[in-house]
Amino acid sequence: MIPVQREEARSHRPSGLRALLLGAMLVALPACGPRRPGLATQPVDALLVARTGVAAPRMRGVDSLVASDSVRAMLARPLTPDAVVRVTLLAQPRLRSLYEEIGLAQADVVQAGLLSNPLASVDRFTEGRFQEFSVALSFVELLRRPLRTRVARARLETTTLQVADAVFRAVTDARSALAETVAAEQSLDLRRRTRQAAQASATTAALVHQVGNLLDLDLASERARAAESDAAVLRAEGEAAASRERLVRALGVDVPGDSLRLPARLADLAGAMPPRDSLVALAVNSRLDLAAALSEINASAREVGLTSRFRYLADGSLAYSGEAEGSRMLRGPGLSVPLPLFDRGQARLQRAQAALRQAVARQEGLIREVRSEVRESLAQLDAAQRRATRYQADVLPLRQRVTRETQLLYNSMAIGVFGLLAAQQAELEAGQGYIESLRDYWIARYHLEQALGTRIP
Amino acid sequence: MSDFNHPSAVDRRTLLKSGAAAVGLAALGPRAASALAASTVDHQAGVVFAPGLPGRDYTPVITPNGAALPFRVVQGVKVFHLVAEPLQHEFAPGLTAECWGFNGRTPGPTIEAVEGDRVRIYVTNRLPAATSVHWHGILLPSGMDGVSGLSQAPIPAGATFKYEFTLRQHGTFMYHSHRDEMTQQALGMMGMFIVHPRISARRPDRDFVLLSSEWKVLPGARRPDPNEMLEFNVLTFNGKAFPGTAPLMVKQNDHVRIRLGNLSAMSHHSIHIHGHAWTLTETDGGVIPPLARWPEVTQLVPVGCTRTMEFIADNPGDWALHCHMSHHTMTQMGHSGINMLGVDAAAVDRAVQPILPSYMTMGTDGMGDMGEMGMPVPPNSTPMFGTTGPYGYIDMGGMFTVLKVRPMLRAGDEARWWEPPAGTLAQAARPEELARDGIIVEPSASPPAAPHHHPPPPTFQPDRPK
Ligand SMILES: [Cu+2]
């Protein structure tokens, strides 16, 4: 880093005090050289790779063209959960806005390293010249600067963790939105097939009624069922379209929802869960908001240290000043400090201590919530998994069996075509129940991942 | 027909000759039989005739698909042993059920005896429930009547009871459970009890026994449902539904007797004979005086009754003998569903097959072909009717059997169809015949019925569950 000499440092004729001031500035300079403020997002990426299992290059600025190409390429294929993460990381403006929190915190670090500019003044312009001058520099800031920087760095770390936490939540939400959208599409497909069966039933009823073999009542019932099944399709269409738009927002892309390509079906149930206690321990180690809360305690503690060290010396500056004395200019160094008579820094200290206690309490509350959230998500996941398994292992095969048996009875003319189509509709209804349970399973899984703060091992 | 006039007067000397072998027994029935009961001998208290023997004293009956209950004579008494027990019974090929019956069958074996016989019948109960046996129509001491709780204590599971009485009448009778009748009869606890006259002017050449009953066995189920009151779907002669019924084999000009009994839970049956007229000669109350007999071709047999029919089988051929209630000549299937007659089958197929590829519309032109379609049906069930006959499918089931009258009876005739002499078979009319007889057939305004049963689509898989 090349320190840039500043104009104000090259002031008046050198003297002892001038040398002292200059020296102080030189000490201060290395930390405050201006540089292009690139976002330090690598720590966030590192945190996310471990948690999502997806390595996602993120690009900004000129890279955004490349990024949008690669987003387009990913949108051209049916979205997988991993693709959803990549697209979100690349495309989601909300995430870019989140990352700027890091930029803000980074700027705070830089700001913390900067000294206030020396105050130069010239006074009493009479008789064709200034009769007084002074240059003053706060030496207290100089002393406070290392501690202040450390506090800002701690806050940057807190912010980085908070951002990583929010990004992790965002990509997990996007995965969850994908599951919901796929489920909505599958439901829509089942609703349409149910409608087809109900319409076949109504068509048959009309044909049977037409030749005089069916009650008006039965025909009306069949028609009512067909119309109801159509209404159900319309509802499912609305839900499918809405869920596509929710996915669009989760991804942060700028395309209409109906252009999204989706996988044909939800993934099957994943493997068995690790034991509950190990998951609770994992969450305590992995949750980024928990790490952020700890980091916040660290930052607050440093803040307390800083405040308490400079409790009585809130400010103070060294000055070099001169005054015209006839044709001579009398000049010399000076010192000014506030006398801690009234404000002895107790309020600032109190405030910093309160903030520390607050951070500690927040962390303590959060850790309890984390443990409970893990247990809650696990309970929901477990219930959804058992429900989906019940459907998969029993309900669906039994409903298929019912249809087969009904077909056999139909072949025996022990029941009519309407009973057969009703069995088929019940089978489709069971499929609906299965899709819903599988959807709930995946949503519960993503909830659990959010509760754990990382992937399920 | 007056051929079947029973001897109305009894030759006293014949009676005494037979009665000479009578042995005295201590157990006494009431002295006077009912005035209407058929009797060919004078029943005096304590007098028992020598046990009647098959061949010598009577021509044994034929129980198609059934059996006769064997007996032994012990000190002048005919001893029988009935064992009430659960069993597997086949109603028709493909339909077997868990039934209850006697000696491994339902109906139980036919008991055969002769008027004046002393019979001792042991009943062993191997059922899981108590039972009792009522000797339906037989005149006997009240304590032998078999009504559980009224005439006797129920026979507990595992116990053997002894019934003993002297037969003071002849005729066609039955036996059945009289304990929890609804359950036990619905499961098959019944049989025929034939008492031949001691003296007979003319014995029939062929003497058949047909006991009717009705069952509710859901397609695919394995046990008759005793709770059923109306919707019986298996109707049987001697426990068999056509094509499970064995034909009645008769030689031309045989004097044939058919004893019809009905122990259905709820249904009377109109039993109809083809190719012959028959005469009702006896009811379960006794012999009908010749002048009162009623020639006819269809005899109603009410629940709990027997009717004895006689005729000369003078008309050779294969003749249907069946209940005329049309739902009684169907089996399990086709009893419910939607009336599809006249419906546009192709249009329904188009609507339904996209959803159910193995679906095909049935019944739009009736049900005559349903039995032969060979569609997959539930396991342990039988098509609503039928089997293949000499001229196509015989779309009859249930209470349907065939009376085969042949000039000569040869081994294997049961499986042979009648070969009609030239000119005795209905056939399509030839144009020259139509022209000769002035029959003008207007061409149909509408095209002939479309192929009624659409072949299933190529993807059709008979998806019978494993
Ligand atoms: Cu009938």
Side-chain angles (χ1 to χ4, degrees), chain B residues 218-247:
Chain B
L218 292 170
R222 284 193 302 115
R223 199 182 295 275
D225 179 3
N227 301 314
E228 185 54 57
M229 287 178 71
L230 294 171
E231 301 198 332
F232 298 95
N233 58 1
V234 180
L235 282 288
T236 56
F237 281 139
N238 292 341
K240 295 287 179 178
F242 187 76
T245 49

mmCIF file of all heavy atoms in Angstrom, chain B residues 218-247:
data_model
loop_
_atom_site.group_PDB
_atom_site.id
_atom_site.type_symbol
_atom_site.label_atom_id
_atom_site.label_comp_id
_atom_site.label_asym_id
_atom_site.label_seq_id
_atom_site.Cartn_x
_atom_site.Cartn_y
_atom_site.Cartn_z
ATOM 1 N N LEU B 218 -70.202 -63.398 -1.734
ATOM 2 C CA LEU B 218 -69.714 -62.268 -2.522
ATOM 3 C C LEU B 218 -68.583 -62.732 -3.435
ATOM 4 O O LEU B 218 -67.801 -63.596 -3.046
ATOM 5 C CB LEU B 218 -69.207 -61.163 -1.588
ATOM 6 C CG LEU B 218 -70.302 -60.485 -0.770
ATOM 7 C CD1 LEU B 218 -69.693 -59.588 0.285
ATOM 8 C CD2 LEU B 218 -71.218 -59.694 -1.679
ATOM 9 N N PRO B 219 -68.505 -62.177 -4.647
ATOM 10 C CA PRO B 219 -67.412 -62.581 -5.540
ATOM 11 C C PRO B 219 -66.074 -62.338 -4.856
ATOM 12 O O PRO B 219 -65.783 -61.230 -4.415
ATOM 13 C CB PRO B 219 -67.574 -61.655 -6.752
ATOM 14 C CG PRO B 219 -68.989 -61.186 -6.693
ATOM 15 C CD PRO B 219 -69.372 -61.164 -5.244
ATOM 16 N N GLY B 220 -65.286 -63.390 -4.752
ATOM 17 C CA GLY B 220 -63.991 -63.254 -4.097
ATOM 18 C C GLY B 220 -64.030 -63.598 -2.620
ATOM 19 O O GLY B 220 -62.995 -63.799 -2.006
ATOM 20 N N ALA B 221 -65.235 -63.679 -2.024
ATOM 21 C CA ALA B 221 -65.316 -64.060 -0.613
ATOM 22 C C ALA B 221 -65.233 -65.580 -0.505
ATOM 23 O O ALA B 221 -65.299 -66.293 -1.503
ATOM 24 C CB ALA B 221 -66.612 -63.549 0.000
ATOM 25 N N ARG B 222 -65.095 -66.087 0.732
ATOM 26 C CA ARG B 222 -64.916 -67.527 0.880
ATOM 27 C C ARG B 222 -65.947 -68.139 1.812
ATOM 28 O O ARG B 222 -65.834 -69.307 2.175
ATOM 29 C CB ARG B 222 -63.515 -67.827 1.424
ATOM 30 C CG ARG B 222 -62.416 -67.693 0.390
ATOM 31 C CD ARG B 222 -61.129 -68.306 0.882
ATOM 32 N NE ARG B 222 -60.730 -67.671 2.137
ATOM 33 C CZ ARG B 222 -60.682 -68.320 3.295
ATOM 34 N NH1 ARG B 222 -60.963 -69.592 3.364
ATOM 35 N NH2 ARG B 222 -60.331 -67.676 4.381
ATOM 36 N N ARG B 223 -66.937 -67.352 2.257
ATOM 37 C CA ARG B 223 -67.884 -67.927 3.204
ATOM 38 C C ARG B 223 -69.265 -67.372 2.912
ATOM 39 O O ARG B 223 -69.419 -66.177 2.709
ATOM 40 C CB ARG B 223 -67.459 -67.566 4.638
ATOM 41 C CG ARG B 223 -68.064 -68.447 5.698
ATOM 42 C CD ARG B 223 -67.642 -67.996 7.080
ATOM 43 N NE ARG B 223 -66.220 -68.136 7.330
ATOM 44 C CZ ARG B 223 -65.643 -69.263 7.761
ATOM 45 N NH1 ARG B 223 -66.362 -70.322 7.994
ATOM 46 N NH2 ARG B 223 -64.350 -69.308 7.970
ATOM 47 N N PRO B 224 -70.256 -68.231 2.870
ATOM 48 C CA PRO B 224 -71.619 -67.726 2.659
ATOM 49 C C PRO B 224 -72.000 -66.779 3.795
ATOM 50 O O PRO B 224 -71.580 -66.966 4.933
ATOM 51 C CB PRO B 224 -72.474 -68.996 2.691
ATOM 52 C CG PRO B 224 -71.531 -70.108 2.405
ATOM 53 C CD PRO B 224 -70.209 -69.694 2.971
ATOM 54 N N ASP B 225 -72.780 -65.765 3.447
ATOM 55 C CA ASP B 225 -73.181 -64.756 4.428
ATOM 56 C C ASP B 225 -74.559 -65.107 4.958
ATOM 57 O O ASP B 225 -75.555 -65.032 4.238
ATOM 58 C CB ASP B 225 -73.206 -63.392 3.740
ATOM 59 C CG ASP B 225 -73.646 -62.295 4.706
ATOM 60 O OD1 ASP B 225 -73.878 -62.601 5.902
ATOM 61 O OD2 ASP B 225 -73.753 -61.144 4.252
ATOM 62 N N PRO B 226 -74.636 -65.511 6.244
ATOM 63 C CA PRO B 226 -75.929 -65.928 6.791
ATOM 64 C C PRO B 226 -76.870 -64.763 7.051
ATOM 65 O O PRO B 226 -78.052 -64.959 7.283
ATOM 66 C CB PRO B 226 -75.563 -66.600 8.116
ATOM 67 C CG PRO B 226 -74.093 -66.531 8.238
ATOM 68 C CD PRO B 226 -73.567 -65.582 7.222
ATOM 69 N N ASN B 227 -76.338 -63.525 7.011
ATOM 70 C CA ASN B 227 -77.180 -62.370 7.331
ATOM 71 C C ASN B 227 -78.053 -61.955 6.159
ATOM 72 O O ASN B 227 -78.955 -61.146 6.320
ATOM 73 C CB ASN B 227 -76.300 -61.191 7.741
ATOM 74 C CG ASN B 227 -75.444 -61.539 8.936
ATOM 75 O OD1 ASN B 227 -75.934 -62.109 9.905
ATOM 76 N ND2 ASN B 227 -74.161 -61.252 8.853
ATOM 77 N N GLU B 228 -77.747 -62.499 4.995
ATOM 78 C CA GLU B 228 -78.463 -62.060 3.800
ATOM 79 C C GLU B 228 -79.940 -62.450 3.885
ATOM 80 O O GLU B 228 -80.285 -63.547 4.301
ATOM 81 C CB GLU B 228 -77.813 -62.702 2.567
ATOM 82 C CG GLU B 228 -78.398 -62.231 1.270
ATOM 83 C CD GLU B 228 -78.378 -60.719 1.141
ATOM 84 O OE1 GLU B 228 -77.295 -60.136 1.229
ATOM 85 O OE2 GLU B 228 -79.462 -60.130 0.977
ATOM 86 N N MET B 229 -80.788 -61.523 3.494
ATOM 87 C CA MET B 229 -82.225 -61.817 3.477
ATOM 88 C C MET B 229 -82.777 -61.901 2.062
ATOM 89 O O MET B 229 -83.760 -62.584 1.810
ATOM 90 C CB MET B 229 -82.999 -60.718 4.219
ATOM 91 C CG MET B 229 -82.828 -60.770 5.707
ATOM 92 S SD MET B 229 -83.713 -59.410 6.499
ATOM 93 C CE MET B 229 -85.406 -59.921 6.250
ATOM 94 N N LEU B 230 -82.171 -61.137 1.137
ATOM 95 C CA LEU B 230 -82.784 -61.032 -0.188
ATOM 96 C C LEU B 230 -81.842 -61.338 -1.343
ATOM 97 O O LEU B 230 -82.213 -62.025 -2.281
ATOM 98 C CB LEU B 230 -83.342 -59.614 -0.384
ATOM 99 C CG LEU B 230 -84.511 -59.261 0.535
ATOM 100 C CD1 LEU B 230 -84.837 -57.784 0.412
ATOM 101 C CD2 LEU B 230 -85.728 -60.104 0.183
ATOM 102 N N GLU B 231 -80.644 -60.813 -1.262
ATOM 103 C CA GLU B 231 -79.809 -60.833 -2.457
ATOM 104 C C GLU B 231 -78.924 -62.077 -2.512
ATOM 105 O O GLU B 231 -77.703 -61.993 -2.412
ATOM 106 C CB GLU B 231 -78.967 -59.561 -2.519
ATOM 107 C CG GLU B 231 -79.864 -58.339 -2.548
ATOM 108 C CD GLU B 231 -79.169 -57.093 -3.033
ATOM 109 O OE1 GLU B 231 -77.938 -56.998 -2.858
ATOM 110 O OE2 GLU B 231 -79.863 -56.240 -3.600
ATOM 111 N N PHE B 232 -79.574 -63.211 -2.693
ATOM 112 C CA PHE B 232 -78.816 -64.445 -2.825
ATOM 113 C C PHE B 232 -78.257 -64.515 -4.228
ATOM 114 O O PHE B 232 -78.911 -64.131 -5.196
ATOM 115 C CB PHE B 232 -79.716 -65.640 -2.516
ATOM 116 C CG PHE B 232 -80.210 -65.590 -1.106
ATOM 117 C CD1 PHE B 232 -81.444 -65.035 -0.797
ATOM 118 C CD2 PHE B 232 -79.420 -66.054 -0.063
ATOM 119 C CE1 PHE B 232 -81.880 -64.943 0.508
ATOM 120 C CE2 PHE B 232 -79.847 -65.973 1.250
ATOM 121 C CZ PHE B 232 -81.088 -65.420 1.538
ATOM 122 N N ASN B 233 -77.024 -64.955 -4.329
ATOM 123 C CA ASN B 233 -76.397 -64.940 -5.651
ATOM 124 C C ASN B 233 -75.863 -66.299 -6.071
ATOM 125 O O ASN B 233 -75.275 -66.419 -7.138
ATOM 126 C CB ASN B 233 -75.291 -63.881 -5.721
ATOM 127 C CG ASN B 233 -74.213 -64.112 -4.679
ATOM 128 O OD1 ASN B 233 -74.283 -65.076 -3.919
ATOM 129 N ND2 ASN B 233 -73.224 -63.255 -4.647
ATOM 130 N N VAL B 234 -76.029 -67.299 -5.230
ATOM 131 C CA VAL B 234 -75.667 -68.657 -5.644
ATOM 132 C C VAL B 234 -76.892 -69.518 -5.363
ATOM 133 O O VAL B 234 -77.307 -69.660 -4.209
ATOM 134 C CB VAL B 234 -74.432 -69.185 -4.890
ATOM 135 C CG1 VAL B 234 -74.104 -70.602 -5.351
ATOM 136 C CG2 VAL B 234 -73.229 -68.267 -5.115
ATOM 137 N N LEU B 235 -77.513 -70.046 -6.406
ATOM 138 C CA LEU B 235 -78.724 -70.845 -6.297
ATOM 139 C C LEU B 235 -78.385 -72.256 -6.743
ATOM 140 O O LEU B 235 -77.787 -72.432 -7.806
ATOM 141 C CB LEU B 235 -79.816 -70.256 -7.200
ATOM 142 C CG LEU B 235 -80.587 -69.011 -6.738
ATOM 143 C CD1 LEU B 235 -81.544 -69.379 -5.598
ATOM 144 C CD2 LEU B 235 -79.723 -67.842 -6.361
ATOM 145 N N THR B 236 -78.754 -73.244 -5.940
ATOM 146 C CA THR B 236 -78.209 -74.573 -6.210
ATOM 147 C C THR B 236 -79.264 -75.667 -6.184
ATOM 148 O O THR B 236 -80.274 -75.597 -5.474
ATOM 149 C CB THR B 236 -77.120 -74.917 -5.170
ATOM 150 O OG1 THR B 236 -77.678 -74.796 -3.863
ATOM 151 C CG2 THR B 236 -75.921 -74.006 -5.311
ATOM 152 N N PHE B 237 -78.989 -76.704 -6.970
ATOM 153 C CA PHE B 237 -79.616 -78.024 -6.844
ATOM 154 C C PHE B 237 -78.562 -78.919 -6.198
ATOM 155 O O PHE B 237 -77.453 -79.047 -6.721
ATOM 156 C CB PHE B 237 -79.934 -78.607 -8.224
ATOM 157 C CG PHE B 237 -81.176 -78.072 -8.892
ATOM 158 C CD1 PHE B 237 -81.178 -77.789 -10.253
ATOM 159 C CD2 PHE B 237 -82.358 -77.904 -8.175
ATOM 160 C CE1 PHE B 237 -82.325 -77.335 -10.879
ATOM 161 C CE2 PHE B 237 -83.517 -77.446 -8.803
ATOM 162 C CZ PHE B 237 -83.495 -77.159 -10.148
ATOM 163 N N ASN B 238 -78.896 -79.513 -5.088
ATOM 164 C CA ASN B 238 -77.948 -80.386 -4.389
ATOM 165 C C ASN B 238 -76.591 -79.708 -4.200
ATOM 166 O O ASN B 238 -75.537 -80.308 -4.363
ATOM 167 C CB ASN B 238 -77.772 -81.710 -5.125
ATOM 168 C CG ASN B 238 -79.034 -82.556 -5.078
ATOM 169 O OD1 ASN B 238 -79.903 -82.316 -4.222
ATOM 170 N ND2 ASN B 238 -79.168 -83.519 -5.975
ATOM 171 N N GLY B 239 -76.647 -78.415 -3.899
ATOM 172 C CA GLY B 239 -75.413 -77.685 -3.581
ATOM 173 C C GLY B 239 -74.601 -77.273 -4.786
ATOM 174 O O GLY B 239 -73.513 -76.720 -4.632
ATOM 175 N N LYS B 240 -75.109 -77.515 -5.998
ATOM 176 C CA LYS B 240 -74.330 -77.193 -7.190
ATOM 177 C C LYS B 240 -75.071 -76.197 -8.063
ATOM 178 O O LYS B 240 -76.284 -76.286 -8.235
ATOM 179 C CB LYS B 240 -74.070 -78.460 -8.016
ATOM 180 C CG LYS B 240 -73.194 -79.478 -7.313
ATOM 181 C CD LYS B 240 -71.743 -79.023 -7.266
ATOM 182 C CE LYS B 240 -70.881 -80.049 -6.535
ATOM 183 N NZ LYS B 240 -69.469 -79.652 -6.507
ATOM 184 N N ALA B 241 -74.294 -75.262 -8.590
ATOM 185 C CA ALA B 241 -74.831 -74.311 -9.563
ATOM 186 C C ALA B 241 -74.322 -74.721 -10.939
ATOM 187 O O ALA B 241 -73.174 -75.148 -11.082
ATOM 188 C CB ALA B 241 -74.351 -72.896 -9.229
ATOM 189 N N PHE B 242 -75.179 -74.594 -11.938
ATOM 190 C CA PHE B 242 -74.755 -74.925 -13.294
ATOM 191 C C PHE B 242 -73.565 -74.041 -13.671
ATOM 192 O O PHE B 242 -73.579 -72.850 -13.339
ATOM 193 C CB PHE B 242 -75.913 -74.687 -14.278
ATOM 194 C CG PHE B 242 -75.630 -75.169 -15.684
ATOM 195 C CD1 PHE B 242 -75.675 -76.518 -15.983
ATOM 196 C CD2 PHE B 242 -75.295 -74.264 -16.677
ATOM 197 C CE1 PHE B 242 -75.409 -76.966 -17.277
ATOM 198 C CE2 PHE B 242 -75.028 -74.696 -17.959
ATOM 199 C CZ PHE B 242 -75.077 -76.055 -18.264
ATOM 200 N N PRO B 243 -72.539 -74.538 -14.314
ATOM 201 C CA PRO B 243 -72.423 -75.872 -14.894
ATOM 202 C C PRO B 243 -71.914 -76.950 -13.939
ATOM 203 O O PRO B 243 -71.482 -78.019 -14.394
ATOM 204 C CB PRO B 243 -71.430 -75.646 -16.030
ATOM 205 C CG PRO B 243 -70.549 -74.538 -15.549
ATOM 206 C CD PRO B 243 -71.405 -73.663 -14.694
ATOM 207 N N GLY B 244 -72.002 -76.685 -12.626
ATOM 208 C CA GLY B 244 -71.543 -77.697 -11.680
ATOM 209 C C GLY B 244 -72.548 -78.819 -11.460
ATOM 210 O O GLY B 244 -72.228 -79.844 -10.863
ATOM 211 N N THR B 245 -73.794 -78.665 -11.951
ATOM 212 C CA THR B 245 -74.815 -79.687 -11.703
ATOM 213 C C THR B 245 -74.599 -80.905 -12.614
ATOM 214 O O THR B 245 -74.317 -80.757 -13.803
ATOM 215 C CB THR B 245 -76.214 -79.114 -11.991
ATOM 216 O OG1 THR B 245 -76.197 -78.480 -13.278
ATOM 217 C CG2 THR B 245 -76.607 -78.088 -10.954
ATOM 218 N N ALA B 246 -74.737 -82.076 -12.029
ATOM 219 C CA ALA B 246 -74.603 -83.305 -12.834
ATOM 220 C C ALA B 246 -75.921 -83.542 -13.578
ATOM 221 O O ALA B 246 -77.001 -83.305 -13.027
ATOM 222 C CB ALA B 246 -74.296 -84.489 -11.927
ATOM 223 N N PRO B 247 -75.865 -83.991 -14.842
ATOM 224 C CA PRO B 247 -77.111 -84.215 -15.590
ATOM 225 C C PRO B 247 -77.895 -85.401 -15.020
ATOM 226 O O PRO B 247 -77.340 -86.269 -14.351
ATOM 227 C CB PRO B 247 -76.619 -84.511 -17.000
ATOM 228 C CG PRO B 247 -75.217 -84.991 -16.849
ATOM 229 C CD PRO B 247 -74.662 -84.315 -15.622
#
